[in-house]
Each structure stands twice: as structure tokens, then as C-alpha cells.
Amino acid sequence: SRKCKGVYVTAVGAKEVIMVWRIFQDAEGLKCRFAGGKEPKCGLRPKTMNTSRGPKFTDLRYLAVDTFVFDNGSQGEILFLLVSSSDGLIKLIALECEGASGCIKWHDNICELVQGSSNPTLSISCEVSEGAQGKIVIALTGSTDGAVCVWDLSSAVRGFMSTLNSTLGSEQNGAPIVSPLAKYEGLHDSGVNSIATHLTGKDRKRIA
């Protein structure tokens, strides 16, 4: 994000692991600092899938991610991550980065994207623009069956920020569901491996 205090770099992949770094510049020059990581609740999947002993693990992995940052005033920044996994699930999660203490907290239940493609999503692109009622967050996803879906995440993000900054500050009980604004099937004969968006127009509210 151009407005964040530095640049966040996010990597996802096998074993459902998320890694986040922050690149910033101070008086000593350019620095890279580990911001936070996230592992599955049941722990890392072992190298072998032999489940005769111990808990059972599924061969689930993350396939794609895109991020955007919201400024949370004196509380720091919120890094939102839209992540797809090999089981076809697409979900929005967030990493709360407190400015003063440097502490972090993961939030899992922002929203889930449903009724798009039933196939796994290979590519994600998010855009944030200013609207009359606050920030507008639009996402595009491309899946293995050649379909592209358009999603409006604005209400889910605004709801999360409102809950986060309320006096209670409690977690949401279950992830809100978001359906696609539009779905374009068969745009490619094979999977949509990469997708890119760009804000256009004088008001920078159109997506190309």
C-alpha cells in the first residue's frame, strides 16, 4: 500500500503457512523485518502423510493471495489478506499490527467467498478506492476452470473495522458470506494463472 508505513510482503504456499514481512526505511537505510506468521491450528503437516499415528492431516495448501492495508489510526495498521486454498475455499483474513507495541494479532473470520467457481482459485487481485460511504474494496479471482469472478468486499471490511474499533472489540461469530457481483465462465480453456487490475478514470473508481 502507498499509504502504509513501509511495504508488506506476503508469501503463502504448502502446509497452509502464511509469512509476512515489512520493508521500511529509517535513518540507517532500507530494512526488512519479519511481521508475523500463521500456521494451521492442528500444526504443520508432516513431510509424510502416514496418519497411522497421531492426528490426521489433509493435503491442503494455499494457492494464491493478494493484500491491502487499512490505516487504523493510533492503533496501527490492518493488513487484509484474501487467500485461496486447494479445497476451493476463498477467505478474507487480517493481521492487526499495533504501531506502538509492534504486537500482532490474526483475525480469521472476516468473510468467505461463496457461489463462485467450485474449482480451486489460482489468481487473486484486489483494488481499494474511495467511495461516498467509505472505502470500496473489489476483488477479482481466477480459477482452474477458466472462470473469473468479481467480488465486493466493502461491507465485510467495514463491518470488521467497526467491530474491531468498538468498545467491546469482540470477534465475529462465524464468517460473513459474500457472493460474486459477476461471474464469467470459460474465459480461458485452462486455468487463470494470473490476474491483474488497475484503477482508471479521473476518479480512479473504474477497474480495468
Side-chain angles (χ1 to χ4, degrees):
S1 171
R2 299 182 184 90
K3 296 182 180 180
C4 71
K5 303 176 183 65
V7 176
Y8 288 100
V9 179
T10 305
V12 301
K15 298 189 177 182
E16 299 175 80
V17 175
I18 300 175
M19 307 289 279
V20 180
W21 297 266
R22 188 168 70 91
I23 300 174
F24 61 97
Q25 189 165 12
D26 60 13
E28 299 178 357
L30 197 64
K31 294 184 177 180
C32 180
R33 181 172 297 168
F34 181 67
K38 192 175 189 300
E39 298 179 356
K41 292 182 179 180
C42 60
L44 290 177
R45 188 173 70 245
K47 292 183 178 180
T48 62
M49 295 302 292
N50 185 356
T51 57
S52 59
R53 298 178 181 178
K56 293 184 178 180
F57 293 86
T58 57
D59 188 19
L60 194 63
R61 60 196 65 213
Y62 291 130
L63 299 179
V65 64
D66 198 12
T67 64
F68 52 94
V69 177
F70 271 40
D71 185 10
N72 200 27
S74 61
Q75 301 299 317
E77 296 174 328
I78 309 296
L79 175 68
F80 289 93
L81 304 89
L82 187 60
V83 188
S84 68
S85 52
S86 55
D87 61 354
L89 178 68
I90 311 172
K91 62 181 179 180
L92 182 66
I93 62 177
L95 176 61
E96 183 180 357
C97 305
E98 295 185 5
S101 64
C103 296
I104 65 167
K105 181 180 179 181
W106 287 97
H107 299 269
D108 289 325
N109 296 325
I110 313 303
C111 68
E112 290 184 7
L113 278 54
V114 301
Q115 298 179 357
S117 173
S118 59
N119 288 42
T121 292
L122 296 175
S123 52
I124 299 174
S125 182
C126 299
E127 287 287 355
V128 180
S129 62
E130 296 291 338
Q133 297 180 348
K135 292 185 182 297
I136 300 172
V137 183
I138 299 296
L140 278 77
T141 60
S143 51
T144 58
D145 58 358
V148 172
C149 293
V150 184
W151 313 82
D152 185 356
L153 309 181
S154 309
S155 295
V157 172
R158 283 196 294 265
F160 169 76
M161 294 297 295
S162 177
T163 301
L164 185 66
N165 294 320
S166 69
T167 55
L168 297 177
S170 58
E171 289 281 348
Q172 302 179 85
N173 295 322
I177 301 300
V178 176
S179 299
L181 286 175
K183 181 178 178 181
Y184 305 97
E185 297 181 300
L187 291 184
H188 290 269
D189 293 333
S190 57
V192 183
N193 294 323
S194 180
I195 193 167
T197 57
H198 180 70
L199 293 175
T200 65
K202 294 182 180 180
D203 54 3
R204 292 184 60 79
K205 293 180 181 179
R206 301 175 184 176
I207 294 180

